[in-house]
Amino acid sequence: MTGSDEITHFDVVIVGGGAAGLTLALSLPKHLSVAMLMKDEPLESSTYYAQGGVAAVWAQDDTVDEHIADTLIAGAGLCHEEAVRFTVEHSREAIEFLLAQGVKFTLDENSDDLHLTQEGGHSRRRIAHVADATGRAVATTLLERVRECQNVTLLDHMVAIDVITTNSLAQHFDAPFTEPNRAVGVYVLDTKAHRVLTLSAGFVALACGGVSKAYLYTSNPDIATGDGIAMAWRAGCRVANLEFNQFHPTCLYHPEARSFLLTEALRGEGAYLRLPPCDHHPEGERFMLRFDSRGELAPRDIVALTIDFEMKRLGLRHVYLDITHKDPEFVKAHFPTLYARLLEFGIDITQDQIPVVPAAHYTCGGVVVNQQGQTDVLNLYALGETSFTGLHGANRMASNSLLECFVYAMSAATHIRDSHAHAAPSVPMIPTWHIQDNTDQDEAVILLQNWDELRHTMWHYVGIVRSNKRLHRALNRILLLKQEMQDYYDSFALNKNLIELRNLLLVSELIVRCALRRHESRGLHYNRDFPQSLPTPADVVLTPAVPSAV
């Protein structure tokens, strides 16, 4: 492990290469120098794997108020109505932006307009999509446009370590605080060259996704380790509502499948959830209607909780998703990617029911931001799943997440443009990363053990159903793991796994602390000790102490 004595300056550093990061890069003025840091290969992000689509008020019979109303209902009383309105009112602009970039949305064969599908929680068809692989089309297209931007430098296999702030610099130099805390750069591990880079910047944007890899079962790629939330917290930013982790109701249950999500649109197009076949129900009972009149189109929290309840009640390893009653050609036309992929596992969805389980899918809380994506630290922005905008409340409604990425990234770009034009901040002297006499880990099995223990702890104690006893046990174990990790962090050379585990442990602690402060059950948070909702909804907001030097 080495450190670089060079400091590279950019006007803007974007950490993350998903929908939010790519949109921000494309929306910034071309005279600004931009670095986009990608943790893995350029297309490896949660965006790429998103199958559903982008919710937007596009159809003539749809209205902004209806979309807002559906979102508020799904959010179980915790949505910030001004954030919902801001997002929905800019939804058409988001679709127009994507069309302008070259995204080839699926068209309606009867009208040549966008084909819109319906998903859980929506009262109308308003999901623009590219067959059943919207995320792949969006990520691929936007990356192509970013590659054409002369002002953007793409840096892959870069793992951000920490945001550099004026507070952390003041502590490093043992100097008094003379100005409001602001972001001035990022320390980054180049995993190819095995060295730490120092990037200075006038503005830093964290668009790193969520924290679902804290759980044993997840639909997310391996990069979803809460990096942006952890870095923002260490920099001095508040976080909110991290107890609301959405479990996607339908992930494939198969020994050879890894993190394979079955799109919400399957249920939107009429797929049923069934229990295993029995004498009374040879096809398997369609059980959702026993719990909610909306059946399979109930919001995700209700569907996931119901599946979890039935699995525990009957001792099942999974339930089934069934679309075999639909015309086979209809199924193949609407879900070509899914159809082909499941054939690889020996499942023909036109004839076979699909075994499914819930899995951690989306982080509804995050770093507190305003409508411009600004955090509590000046010139530091948080976007997409890293952020808490107030849009999702206690449960994200399907396909609002990609929309949020585009709307807030474009808003942040405008704010950065105006801020840079009015008063381009000078970047203070930044020390390069100090390489201690660390040695390579001689017992990497310790990291693996701690990672596995964390994910099992979060799954069993901080999963779909919780209790105070489980939460306290989880907190005690996480704090012990954090101490073990910190001793390791201080003694050995940095690597990607160590940075990720450090971030996962911190954000897992924040999730548990948020959960312990919510004395009710609401939306995605169900606590057996507080099964009812309180009459007055309120956010849970955590505030860090003065950040330590990085």
Side-chain angles (χ1 to χ4, degrees):
M1 174 63 61
T2 62
S4 173
D5 292 332
E6 298 180 1
I7 299 177
T8 307
H9 178 77
F10 295 92
D11 292 315
V12 184
V13 170
I14 302 170
V15 184
L22 292 167
T23 301
L24 178 59
L26 289 168
S27 303
L28 287 167
K30 302 308 177 188
H31 67 273
L32 297 182
S33 60
V34 179
M36 174 173 282
L37 310 180
M38 292 162 291
K39 194 174 179 183
D40 206 291
E41 296 295 328
L43 287 173
E44 185 67 3
S45 67
S46 292
T47 296
Y48 183 82
Y49 297 100
Q51 297 175 6
V54 184
V57 179
W58 189 268
Q60 291 185 352
D61 63 348
D62 198 5
T63 68
V64 167
D65 286 340
E66 286 178 291
H67 190 168
I68 291 172
D70 289 344
T71 302
L72 294 177
I73 292 170
L78 271 183
C79 296
H80 295 191
E81 189 166 353
E82 68 277 9
V84 178
R85 181 167 294 278
F86 174 75
T87 306
V88 174
E89 286 181 343
H90 288 84
S91 62
R92 190 176 188 91
E93 179 185 347
I95 297 296
E96 290 170 345
F97 164 79
L98 294 171
L99 289 169
Q101 304 308 313
V103 175
K104 305 296 184 184
F105 284 107
T106 297
L107 301 179
D108 191 295
E109 58 186 17
N110 297 319
S111 67
D112 288 334
D113 197 359
L114 299 184
H115 179 270
L116 303 175
T117 190
Q118 186 174 359
E119 296 180 350
H122 293 274
S123 59
R124 292 189 180 273
R125 287 181 172 267
R126 62 168 68 99
I127 314 300
H129 63 103
V130 183
D132 61 342
T134 305
R136 182 171 64 186
V138 167
T140 302
T141 303
L142 295 188
L143 181 61
E144 288 175 356
R145 298 292 83 79
V146 168
R147 291 189 188 279
E148 296 167 0
C149 297
Q150 298 298 313
N151 65 313
V152 180
T153 301
L154 295 173
L155 300 170
D156 57 40
H157 292 86
M158 297 286 177
V159 182
I161 304 169
D162 268 309
V163 177
I164 307 168
T165 67
T166 50
N167 274 13
S168 64
L169 292 179
Q171 292 191 20
H172 177 85
F173 292 114
D174 194 22
F177 297 97
T178 58
E179 60 174 302
N181 192 23
R182 66 183 172 97
V184 294
V186 185
Y187 289 120
V188 184
L189 174 64
D190 180 343
T191 59
K192 286 183 176 178
H194 303 288
R195 61 174 184 164
V196 176
L197 307 178
T198 304
L199 305 182
S200 71
F203 304 88
V204 176
L206 302 174
C208 318
V211 69
S212 288
K213 287 302 287 189
Y215 288 92
L216 186 60
Y217 300 112
T218 175
S219 65
N220 285 201
D222 288 344
I223 60 172
T225 54
D227 303 327
I229 297 171
M231 286 189 289
W233 175 267
R234 289 193 293 264
C237 300
R238 291 171 298 156
V239 298
N241 290 8
L242 284 170
E243 70 273 28
F244 296 113
N245 294 283
Q246 187 175 71
F247 287 78
H248 195 286
T250 53
C251 282
L252 178 64
Y253 181 86
H254 192 281
E256 298 177 12
R258 183 182 183 189
S259 304
F260 190 73
L261 177 149
L262 298 170
T263 174
E264 193 93 7
L266 275 166
R267 286 180 285 125
E269 294 296 344
Y272 300 146
L273 281 163
R274 296 186 184 277
L275 297 176
C278 64
D279 292 341
H280 297 295
H281 300 279
E283 293 183 337
E285 179 192 356
R286 183 186 171 194
F287 60 89
M288 275 304 304
L289 289 170
R290 284 196 279 110
F291 297 88
D292 194 289
S293 61
R294 292 166 290 186
E296 286 77 8
L297 290 180
R300 287 178 174 177
D301 61 324
I302 295 174
V303 179
L305 188 63
T306 301
I307 294 173
D308 183 72
F309 175 82
E310 288 293 271
M311 287 173 58
K312 288 176 178 174
R313 179 178 72 90
L314 298 171
L316 305 175
R317 293 187 180 274
H318 59 80
V319 296
Y320 290 96
L321 189 64
D322 179 15
I323 199 168
T324 60
H325 52 283
K326 289 288 187 178
D327 179 74
E329 296 308 313
F330 170 88
V331 173
K332 293 177 186 178
H334 281 73
F335 306 104
T337 306
L338 189 64
Y339 174 76
R341 181 70 174 128
L342 286 178
L343 278 180
E344 297 176 11
F345 295 113
I347 301 171
D348 182 344
I349 63 174
T350 67
Q351 301 180 38
D352 304 322
Q353 296 183 14
I354 311 165
V356 295
V357 291
H361 183 58
Y362 193 87
T363 307
C364 289
V367 183
V368 175
V369 299
N370 61 16
Q371 288 186 358
Q372 290 73 47
Q374 292 177 283
T375 71
D376 296 326
V377 175
L378 293 178
N379 301 340
L380 179 63
Y381 298 76
L383 301 170
E385 198 173 350
T386 298
S387 68
F388 169 76
T389 65
L391 170 65
H392 303 303
N395 181 25
R396 176 182 74 99
M397 190 165 70
S399 291
N400 269 353
S401 52
L402 283 177
L403 173 62
E404 180 185 44
C405 290
F406 306 128
V407 170
Y408 279 84
M410 290 189 282
S411 180
T414 299
H415 190 267
I416 291 172
R417 178 199 67 193
D418 295 343
S419 300
H420 187 273
H422 292 153
S426 60
V427 177
M429 181 177 64
I430 299 175
T432 55
W433 185 264
H434 176 61
I435 300 297
Q436 300 175 341
D437 293 330
N438 301 26
T439 59
D440 290 333
Q441 289 87 342
D442 57 353
E443 293 187 75
V445 68
I446 295 174
L447 286 183
L448 178 63
Q449 168 65 23
N450 285 2
W451 185 294
D452 287 345
E453 187 167 349
L454 171 66
R455 296 179 71 193
H456 278 86
T457 297
M458 292 295 289
W459 182 260
H460 292 299
Y461 294 158
V462 200
I464 296 174
V465 177
R466 303 161 179 178
S467 69
N468 274 13
K469 184 176 182 179
R470 296 179 191 178
L471 292 172
H472 280 295
R473 285 187 174 185
L475 183 60
N476 289 339
R477 189 62 199 136
I478 289 168
L479 292 177
L480 180 58
L481 291 172
K482 271 188 68 181
Q483 184 57 57
E484 292 177 0
M485 181 282 306
Q486 191 60 50
D487 293 342
Y488 211 64
Y489 187 83
D490 293 337
S491 304
F492 294 94
L494 278 181
N495 65 27
K496 179 172 176 285
N497 289 339
L498 183 55
I499 295 170
E500 289 181 330
L501 180 59
R502 178 192 187 213
N503 292 333
L504 272 176
L505 284 164
L506 172 56
V507 181
S508 295
E509 177 192 351
L510 297 177
I511 290 171
V512 175
R513 291 193 184 281
C514 282
L516 283 168
R517 287 181 55 176
R518 184 164 295 283
H519 296 166
E520 64 168 350
S521 291
R522 182 183 298 276
L524 301 168
H525 172 77
Y526 182 80
N527 188 326
R528 295 173 61 184
D529 295 315
F530 303 101
Q532 304 301 319
S533 295
L534 294 174
T536 304
D539 295 327
V540 171
V541 181
L542 303 181
T543 303
V546 176
S548 60
V550 297

